[in-house]
Amino acid sequence: MAFVSIQYLLKKDSAKSKAAVSVSDLKQFHNTSQIHEIFVLKSAANIQLFLFSEHAFESVEHISGQFKEIFGFSIGSAPIIMHENEAVADFLKKANGVSDSDNHVNLLKLFAECFNLAREARTVGPVLQRLFQRSIWMHEKIRMNTGFYKVAVSYAGVFCELAQKIYDSLKGLVVHIYGESNFNSEFINELHRFGVRRFYFSGDSEALRLLNNRVNPTVTVSEASSFSQETDILVINNSFKEIITEDLFAARMALKNNAPLLVLCELTLPGKAALAKKFYNIFWYNLEDLEHLVGKNRSARKKLFQEIEPWIAQEVRSFYSWLTGDSRYRFMQIIGRSPKMQEIFELISRISQTDITALIQGESGTGKELVARAIHKLSNRSEKPFIAVNCGAIPDNLLESELFGYVRGAFTGAVNHKSGIFFEANHGTIFLDEIGELPQHLQVKILRFLQEGDIKPVGSNETINVDVRVIAASNRNLKEMVDQDAFRSDLYYRLNVILLDLPPLRKRKEDIPILAEHFLVKYANRFKKDVHEFSPEAMQLLQTYDWPGNVRELENAVEHAVALSLGKHILQYELPSITRYKPKSYVMVESKESSSLKDVEKNHILKILDATDWDYEKACDILGIGRTTLWRKLKEYDVKQP
Amino acid sequence: MLTLIQWIVFLVYALTTFFYWYDFITEKNGFEKKGFYTFAIAVLSHLGLLVYFIYDIGRLPIATVSEALGTFVWITASLYFLLELRWKERSHGVLILSVILILLGNSNLTFNISTEINPILYDVKFEIHVFAMLLGYSGFALSFIASILHLILAREIQKKEQGLFYRRLPSLAYFERISAAAINVGLLFTGIGFVLGYYFAAQVWNFKIYTDPKIIMVIVTWLIYFVHFIGRRMGKIRGQRAALISVIGFCLILFSFLIISTLVPGAHQFG
């Protein structure tokens, strides 16, 4: 097993270096290099490869050569190569923007963009996926627990912060920019982001072009000598220093009733600064002062970084223990290597730290409660209670008092006060399974809780405010229920802030072997049996069966088989008889001796299409034919997607 | 008994002040609950103390400087507490609570129940007069704190030494807004209080305004704040200049409240 990162510096003048990495190049590189997982991170000046292989790399130089040949970037100097822990730590640091050099927001965005590309090219697998998921999770953790991302380290960021300290909100302010500067575009971007929409400026064509590209600023080009007296923020670059005069300030202060004026001057001009001092509400800054501030913020960030560094080290350690352990395809007790499950894992990492409401939808037995538990475990509420309620299992008339509690005398037999599940789950998470079974009047109450955050026990006139995160789940399609008026649409939209759609097992057949092996070990230990593996025929059977009961059914089947097993292998006939029936899939005709070659071909194509969920590209990969051929054959057999 | 409750209330305020400073210096983000709860307890227990006083003694605790100071502290604390609820901005807390703590300590130390209280002070009319004055002064006090913070922040911005206050405080515009609103409230209530007081006093004593140094001081400070108000309206007095005037005004109030009342004899000597 090996994890390597190779970082190249790109030559700035090369046209190729500006272009994005293409999916086809990535695919080609993946095929020729025979590396299991590849992630390419490309920014304007850098390109970095993160490579994971199950075996040790023969030669990094060789891979580097292949990379250069396929991608054709003109590379500046010798690459920086990092191995194992160092490379993993580098990935985490870069993804979270905890290095000093770059702005964090863009970097995580860049990671996400490059990752989508790699997913499209199918060059990333569970290892890099996990690293990316953990990065996102860490990013949220840093954001929620430290002020790290709030510390501005760019000139423009620091300047806007300064302006905010003076004006509070920058909305509605008027900015006047004089002259050309390298910083203009940075300032304009940042000021626009903070809500400034009125720009005046004199003498810079590049800045004008940039402004005109913006959605809705009012841009006025004024003569070099004129000065907008409404100006709140004045940016003066070198060539225009002559415009600063006492009269100018006097006119401005008189017109705007001495409202504060923030001046940023590119050069240090002591004479002009003294001029500004004559007026009491003028704040005078030079670029040099901003530089000082940036330096200060940098060191503040470094201090915060020392707080974060141990987290990263910890994350690297846990990543390695995961990588070398047998839990590679596990995410908080959930097992899955299929891309769909990896996406679910990513979504869980993304949403767990916030208190957002989530709706989990999936067939029975797909692991909805496990997902809810994972969200809870990864959240800041993990120390607090997690309570699961199956709304379908409790009789309607009891459900309300179960959920919200009741006060003494609320109904016959209510001799004591009882606090409901919502109250007991305070500060924790409540998992409402089978939410579709909830009677209408309780749907209203849940909706009220989601909107106001308070509950009303049965028979009580007073509401109690509780802080509970709600995760709901349903095995029925709630959207359809809404359409049929069986479920309140307002509650549906309130719950469906984030939808986690768990795929049924038949749509992620690549997960069956690892799931089956996991259950095999579990039950072999429980029954104290020396069963090691499935016979190839048994495994084949497991993979062809449709699993209408999903993972739960698979678990029961394996339990059954382990209990019956006599030897070290699980044989075909030891599995429950139901799995030995013919699969209830699109393909109904097994190849018989009497069937013609065409029939066999047609059936095989259909089988593959069925298995790949009618993804033509994947099917072509498996069948080893081109898309045109596939299309021709489908037409020939008159087959259409069901 | 009363003294014991007074010091308990003082301790709760002290604890609140400690939490506020702790959060301020460690740069905790957001609306920290610990300080908020102890602050609520402090304001409520102080209210309890005032009610107990009224029940026990049979009049409002405003007869002596010490009593009036205690009541003034409670009004200021409650006003600020409401302000904090409304704006969710706690950075003033450190200064306001510190000032409150000093004033309350002062009040507790000089507290003694005088038996020879002028019967005038049991009259509701005079109680309204004093209460309105105290409410007005609380407004000036809030403006004073906001102005001090304004000056500190403006200084840090101008000197380009962005330190702890720069990071922790909201904006200059925010302080300007708060200070102006507080002064408007202050002007209104001290105006009402002054007119009522003058009207009632004229019924009871035959006296001339200029013989009472405290009344003269009140007029002077009221005029200062009025200049502040007009200057703001005309756009002449803003920013640091406005903040400075507010600070001067409040210093004069403290001077008249604490020094003149106790040292110079006049109509406001009841004890």
Side-chain angles (χ1 to χ4, degrees), chain A residues 161-162 164-168 256-259 280-285 289 293 296, chain B residues 157-158 160 162 166-167 169-173 177 234-241:
Chain A
E161 208 176 80
L162 176 70
Q164 272 189 324
K165 285 288 169 196
I166 297 171
Y167 301 101
D168 215 17
K256 281 204 97 175
N257 286 334
N258 295 313
Y280 71 88
N281 231 350
I282 294 182
F283 298 91
W284 183 277
Y285 270 74
D289 301 325
L293 275 181
K296 222 170 175 181
Chain B
I157 291 176
Q158 264 165 352
K160 294 153 191 176
Q162 279 78 351
Y166 180 82
R167 286 201 302 279
L169 295 183
S171 61
L172 293 178
R177 219 161 47 227
M234 290 170 59
K236 296 288 173 214
I237 295 176
R238 293 193 62 153
Q240 283 148 276
R241 210 174 272 184

Side-chain angles (χ1 to χ4, degrees), chain B residues 12-25:
Chain B
V12 185
Y13 275 116
L15 193 66
T16 314
T17 315
F18 170 76
F19 282 141
Y20 270 66
W21 273 106
Y22 181 79
D23 290 349
F24 188 82
I25 287 167

Side-chain angles (χ1 to χ4, degrees), chain B residues 2-252:
Chain B
L2 208 53
T3 325
L4 179 71
I5 303 176
Q6 274 178 337
W7 285 107
I8 290 173
V9 171
F10 178 82
L11 275 181
V12 185
Y13 275 116
L15 193 66
T16 314
T17 315
F18 170 76
F19 282 141
Y20 270 66
W21 273 106
Y22 181 79
D23 290 349
F24 188 82
I25 287 167
T26 53
E27 303 190 41
K28 285 262 175 65
N29 297 318
F31 203 54
E32 298 294 328
K33 288 208 164 122
K34 228 183 281 167
F36 177 77
Y37 287 138
T38 46
F39 195 10
I41 293 170
V43 170
L44 286 177
S45 60
H46 198 169
L47 177 66
L49 170 70
L50 298 184
V51 170
Y52 179 78
F53 184 99
I54 296 166
Y55 174 77
D56 200 31
I57 315 282
R59 59 174 172 82
L60 288 183
I62 48 179
T64 62
V65 173
S66 145
E67 287 170 21
L69 209 57
T71 313
F72 167 75
V73 161
W74 177 73
I75 294 172
T76 313
S78 327
L79 274 185
Y80 173 65
F81 186 72
L82 293 177
L83 204 76
E84 200 183 279
L85 271 183
R86 169 82 180 75
W87 294 93
K88 299 269 184 289
E89 171 58 57
R90 308 177 71 220
S91 49
H92 307 44
V94 282
L95 267 196
I96 290 190
L97 281 163
S98 305
V99 171
I100 277 176
L101 210 59
I102 292 167
L103 293 181
L104 197 65
N106 196 336
S107 157
N108 283 1
L109 283 174
T110 55
F111 182 80
N112 65 323
I113 297 173
S114 166
T115 44
E116 297 165 6
I117 294 285
N118 194 322
I120 285 279
L121 292 170
Y122 288 85
D123 192 334
V124 177
K125 281 186 285 194
F126 282 90
E127 287 177 345
I128 291 174
H129 152 72
V130 177
F131 208 76
M133 290 307 268
L134 289 181
L135 200 63
Y137 287 153
S138 295
F140 293 145
L142 287 183
S143 161
F144 167 72
I145 302 288
S147 300
I148 293 258
L149 291 172
H150 184 129
L151 290 176
I152 293 175
L153 181 59
R155 204 189 123 82
E156 284 203 348
I157 291 176
Q158 264 165 352
K159 295 272 166 194
K160 294 153 191 176
E161 293 164 357
Q162 279 78 351
L164 183 64
F165 286 93
Y166 180 82
R167 286 201 302 279
R168 298 294 288 139
L169 295 183
S171 61
L172 293 178
Y174 171 82
F175 286 127
E176 204 164 341
R177 219 161 47 227
I178 293 278
S179 164
I183 284 180
N184 293 353
V185 171
L187 273 176
L188 180 71
F189 280 98
T190 46
I192 293 172
F194 184 78
V195 170
L196 280 180
Y198 181 70
Y199 178 70
F200 295 135
Q203 290 179 335
V204 182
W205 304 293
N206 179 19
F207 79 108
K208 299 200 170 48
I209 280 182
Y210 48 82
T211 56
D212 185 348
K214 196 173 170 195
I215 293 177
I216 295 170
M217 285 309 288
V218 168
I219 294 173
V220 171
T221 46
W222 197 85
L223 282 177
I224 289 176
Y225 282 115
F226 191 67
V227 167
H228 189 283
F229 178 77
I230 296 293
R232 255 188 293 133
R233 285 289 136 126
M234 290 170 59
K236 296 288 173 214
I237 295 176
R238 293 193 62 153
Q240 283 148 276
R241 210 174 272 184
L244 206 61
I245 293 175
S246 166
V247 170
I248 291 171
F250 194 72
C251 287
L252 277 178

Side-chain angles (χ1 to χ4, degrees), chain A residues 160-175 191 193-197 232-233 260, chain B residues 170-174 177:
Chain A
C160 285
E161 208 176 80
L162 176 70
Q164 272 189 324
K165 285 288 169 196
I166 297 171
Y167 301 101
D168 215 17
S169 157
L170 304 194
K171 279 190 184 119
L173 294 191
V174 180
V175 175
L191 285 165
R193 200 168 71 79
F194 275 82
V196 177
R197 290 294 178 272
D232 296 299
I233 297 177
Chain B
S171 61
L172 293 178
Y174 171 82
R177 219 161 47 227

